[in-house]
Amino acid sequence: MRFTQFFMAAVTAALAVSVPTKIKKRGHKLRFFGVNESGAEFGNQNLPGVYGHDYTWYNLSTIPTFINKGMNIFRLNLQMERLVPNSLYGPLDPYYAGNLTEQVNYITSLGAFAMICPHNYGRYYNTIINDTAGFEAFWATVAQPFKNNALVMFDTNNEYHDMPQSLVVDLNQAAINGIRGIGANSQYITPEGNSYTGAWTWISSGNGATMGALKDPQNKLIYQMHQYLDSDGSGTSTTCVNSTIFENRLVAATQWLKQNNKLGMIGEFAGGDNATCLSALEGGLKYMGDNDNVWTGAMWWSAGPWWGDYIFTMEPPSGIAYTDILPKILPYD
């Protein structure tokens, strides 16, 4: 997406819980189905910002609600500068990292996956990240506390855009190297492409010609793409192009995944609460399920306690996507 009482939890000695490495299979076609949690990256023009004023963390009481609906993955969006402030080579901020750890430990204790996602668009303090060694160091620092938790996933960065294609590939590879280098070997890593990692532009953007070169010694990469259904694919309108647009915009990426023997997931998707969009959403998810040899899952954008009346909010109990859209798309996930 082109963008309770608060407390600060301190980092404890046991930052992560160990969990079984065996991954449960959902009773649906897609292996993963879930939702983005958004809010910890809010207020990014005010860094580090004040917790509860500029940004928030997520309502843990909603996690069992989502799981009971059939979800098993939560993409936790955060801000790099709050997690590792001042320098890519620096340490974790104990308070922000403590809150992240609380979220991850709770979600994974319930048997669901927690995806850690720096929502930074390939930038750090609003400057394109050119220091691949620094990016590798950042990811080594972030992954270290979670290296024994197989239910954690690492999303290298949200929606790289307007960057040299070679740099996007190099940053993704640096993230992989940093994560694996500290012994986090059981987790999936989801590289993202340039041009907002759109599925519909995966080939035309140059991602298709370059991103397949990424190397992971554990062979646990899932290429993350995003797909919205409005005319410009930005996810800023409830008007969908037509009732088949979701499937249509996945076809070329599906062919690329098959031809290159890769796995993919849709890390963000959404559509309006209307007949055209609902048909498109159902059709796209069914198409992914029919091609589940390459598509592993999808996550709705977005839940989070501060979304209010946002057009796509999935926040229980009254978010429009939670009340009106989720019941209709669940049979297709």
Side-chain angles (χ1 to χ4, degrees):
M1 167 64 61
R2 301 175 203 178
F3 242 36
T4 123
Q5 180 160 351
F6 300 102
F7 61 93
M8 302 298 276
V11 176
T12 63
L15 275 174
V17 294
S18 295
V19 296
T21 57
K22 185 176 180 181
I23 298 170
K24 296 178 181 178
K25 177 74 173 177
R26 298 175 69 243
H28 298 258
K29 284 192 172 183
L30 293 177
R31 189 174 189 180
F32 308 112
F33 185 73
V35 68
N36 281 264
E37 294 282 0
S38 176
E41 82 283 20
F42 282 13
N44 61 1
Q45 298 305 309
N46 186 19
L47 296 172
V50 177
Y51 183 20
H53 180 268
D54 297 298
Y55 66 94
T56 189
W57 284 94
Y58 309 121
N59 187 350
L60 293 178
S61 68
T62 66
I63 303 302
T65 300
F66 284 129
I67 291 174
N68 288 337
K69 294 289 186 181
M71 293 186 181
N72 70 342
I73 186 169
F74 299 87
R75 184 172 181 248
L76 304 178
N77 289 275
L78 56 85
Q79 196 70 29
M80 289 176 66
E81 297 88 346
R82 291 175 179 141
L83 185 60
V84 179
N86 302 318
S87 168
L88 292 169
Y89 297 91
L92 294 169
D93 176 84
Y95 300 106
Y96 196 81
N99 282 298
L100 172 63
T101 300
E102 179 189 37
Q103 303 265 322
V104 169
N105 285 352
Y106 182 69
I107 290 167
T108 59
S109 75
L110 298 178
F113 288 82
M115 180 182 289
I116 296 173
C117 173
H119 199 95
N120 277 69
Y121 303 93
R123 275 78 174 161
Y124 187 67
Y125 287 101
N126 206 34
T127 300
I128 289 175
I129 301 169
N130 289 292
D131 183 358
T132 54
F135 199 59
E136 180 174 336
F138 167 87
W139 267 112
T141 299
V142 172
Q144 179 68 42
F146 305 105
K147 68 179 184 180
N148 295 320
N149 190 337
L151 295 182
V152 173
M153 293 190 189
F154 301 114
D155 179 348
T156 67
N157 224 256
N158 179 73
E159 294 188 346
Y160 303 92
H161 69 89
D162 298 291
M163 299 166 62
Q165 188 65 32
S166 59
L167 177 60
V168 172
V169 175
D170 290 346
L171 288 172
N172 275 289
Q173 189 62 60
I176 296 165
N177 295 347
I179 293 164
R180 299 303 187 217
I182 53 85
N185 295 322
S186 61
Q187 296 83 4
Y188 287 103
I189 299 173
T190 68
E192 293 199 29
N194 211 352
S195 298
Y196 300 94
T197 205
W200 67 323
T201 59
W202 191 256
I203 304 302
S204 62
S205 65
N207 289 324
T210 57
M211 290 288 288
L214 295 173
K215 303 296 184 185
D216 175 21
Q218 302 303 317
N219 194 31
K220 293 179 75 70
L221 298 183
I222 301 177
Y223 286 79
Q224 184 178 151
M225 306 177 197
H226 297 172
Q227 193 56 66
Y228 294 97
L229 314 182
D230 44 355
S231 60
D232 62 358
S234 65
T236 55
S237 170
T238 59
T239 300
C240 295
V241 174
N242 57 52
S243 61
T244 61
I245 191 62
F246 195 4
E247 176 180 347
N248 296 344
R249 287 179 171 175
L250 295 178
V251 171
T254 303
Q255 293 172 347
W256 181 86
L257 292 168
K258 291 182 175 181
Q259 290 168 358
N260 290 275
N261 196 29
K262 307 295 185 184
L263 296 176
M265 67 164 40
I266 297 298
E268 294 182 16
F269 77 102
D273 182 22
N274 56 71
T276 300
C277 288
L278 287 169
S279 293
L281 290 165
E282 293 166 0
L285 290 172
K286 181 181 184 300
Y287 176 79
M288 293 178 69
D290 291 343
N291 291 276
D292 65 348
N293 58 326
V294 291
W295 288 114
T296 62
M299 288 171 279
W300 182 269
W301 181 270
S302 179
W306 282 8
W307 278 113
D309 60 358
Y310 172 58
I311 56 175
F312 300 137
T313 178
M314 184 67 79
E315 186 73 1
S318 58
I320 190 168
Y322 179 77
T323 59
D324 292 11
I325 298 176
L326 183 60
K328 297 181 178 69
I329 64 174
L330 276 174
Y332 298 90
D333 72 351

